[in-house]
Amino acid sequence: ETATERSKSNDRKAAHATVMVVVSASTLRTLIAIAALLLIAPPKTCPVVTAGVLDDPVPREKAKKPKLKPKAELPEVTHKVYLDVFIDEDEPIRGRITLGLFGKTAPKTAENFLSLCACDKGHGKISGKPLCYKGTKFHRIIPNFMIQGGNIFGNDSGGGGGESIYGGYFDDESFAVPHNKLYTLSMANSGPNTNGSQFFINTVKASWLDGKNVVFGMVLAGFEMVDEIEAVGTNEGRPQVEVTIESSGVLPVSPLKDG
C-alpha cells in the first residue's frame, strides 16, 4: 500500500467517524427534548383495572326512580252547591263559589252542608234561627290560611259554632281526606265532635289540621272569588269589610266525577 492510498483510507475513516458523531449528537438532543416534555407534563395514567372492572364503573342500567307515595286522589263528588257572595268594598265585588261534596266519604257531613245551602230544614231546634246560609257572613278570614263562614247565629264573633240540621253538634265523621290541597271544604269546630254549621275553605295546604277537622268537599269553580275574599282578611281574622253570602242553593251533578 502506497503512501497515497494510506492517506485516502485515513480520510474515509475520519469522515465516517464525523458522521457517527453528528448522528449521535442529533439523537441525544431528541432524547433530551422528550425527557424534558415528560417532566413538564407527565402522561395521564390509566385507571387501575382489577379483575376487568374499573374503579368507577359507569352503570349499564338506568337508575331506578325512588319509590314515592302515590298521589292522594280526592273522593267522588256526589253533590254540587253554590254560594253567591258579596264583598262590600268601595267597588263592590260579587261572585259565585261552586262546591262539590264528598257524599260517599262523609255522607252525614255532606247532607248537613247540602241542606244548609238549600235552606230546606226550617229553624234550628236550639237557636230558633233559620238553618240556612243565606244572609250569613264570612266572619273569620286569615290571609295565607283560610276563609271561614256559616255562623247562622248571626254574631260576628263566630258564636259557638252554629247549629247543624241534626240539632246542635254532631260527631266527626271521617278524617280520610287530608288538607293537602288548596281550596278544600272542611268543617270548623271548637274541638272533637263539635260540628255545627260553620265551615272553612283553606287557601294553603294545612296538614296540621288532618285528624282534627273533617274535609267533606272542594271548590269546583270560583277560585278567584275565594282569593278576593281572602284578600280582605287580617292576621287577627276580622275582615276589613263585610263579606256576605247573599244566596245559596243546590246544582245538578253530571254523571261523571267533578274535579
Side-chain angles (χ1 to χ4, degrees):
E1 184 178 22
T2 64
T4 301
E5 289 175 342
R6 285 197 301 272
S7 177
K8 288 181 179 180
S9 177
N10 291 334
D11 289 342
R12 285 195 297 272
K13 290 179 180 179
H16 180 70
T18 301
V19 172
M20 290 297 293
V21 170
V22 172
V23 171
S24 298
S26 176
T27 302
L28 181 61
R29 285 195 298 270
T30 301
L31 292 174
I32 292 172
I34 292 172
L37 289 173
L38 292 174
L39 290 173
I40 295 172
K44 295 181 180 179
T45 58
C46 295
V48 177
V49 178
T50 305
V53 180
L54 295 175
D55 284 347
D56 298 311
V58 177
R60 295 178 180 273
E61 297 179 359
K62 291 184 178 179
K64 295 181 180 180
K65 294 182 178 179
K67 293 182 179 180
L68 301 175
K69 291 182 179 179
K71 292 184 178 179
E73 293 185 2
L74 291 173
E76 180 182 352
V77 170
T78 57
H79 305 84
K80 285 173 65 175
V81 296
Y82 69 87
L83 303 173
D84 287 336
V85 183
F86 172 69
I87 304 176
D88 191 17
E89 293 194 275
D90 292 337
E91 295 184 4
I93 300 174
R94 281 185 168 88
R96 171 170 290 190
I97 302 172
T98 303
L99 299 154
L101 309 183
F102 306 146
K104 292 183 178 180
T105 303
K108 191 171 184 178
T109 310
E111 180 62 30
N112 179 64
F113 193 84
L114 182 75
S115 289
L116 289 168
C117 286
C119 305
D120 60 1
K121 289 294 190 290
H123 291 70
K125 297 177 182 178
I126 297 175
S127 66
K129 300 285 187 179
L131 296 172
C132 180
Y133 285 141
K134 181 178 180 180
T136 63
K137 298 181 182 353
F138 280 94
H139 61 275
R140 187 167 179 249
I141 305 170
I142 302 177
N144 298 313
F145 180 24
M146 58 87 201
I147 63 173
Q148 181 176 335
N151 174 25
I152 64 172
F153 291 168
N155 55 322
D156 292 339
S157 64
E163 184 177 358
S164 74
I165 63 172
Y166 310 112
Y169 296 143
F170 65 98
D171 291 349
D172 298 322
E173 189 171 18
S174 172
F175 296 123
V177 184
H179 298 78
N180 65 345
K181 294 181 181 296
L182 278 61
Y183 307 109
T184 56
L185 175 63
S186 189
M187 290 299 294
N189 60 45
S190 55
N193 303 316
T194 57
N195 300 288
S197 56
Q198 290 198 39
F199 64 91
F200 67 91
I201 298 169
N202 62 299
T203 57
V204 296
K205 294 180 180 180
S207 58
W208 64 91
L209 299 178
D210 293 347
K212 298 177 181 178
N213 298 78
V214 177
V215 177
F216 64 98
M218 62 181 291
V219 176
L220 299 178
F223 302 98
E224 68 285 348
M225 194 61 191
V226 175
D227 296 342
E228 292 284 359
I229 297 170
E230 180 189 22
V232 300
T234 62
N235 291 334
E236 296 75 28
R238 183 176 292 275
Q240 302 173 50
V241 297
E242 286 194 349
V243 182
T244 306
I245 298 175
E246 290 190 312
S247 64
S248 60
V250 181
L251 297 170
V253 182
S254 64
L256 299 177
K257 291 183 181 181
D258 289 281

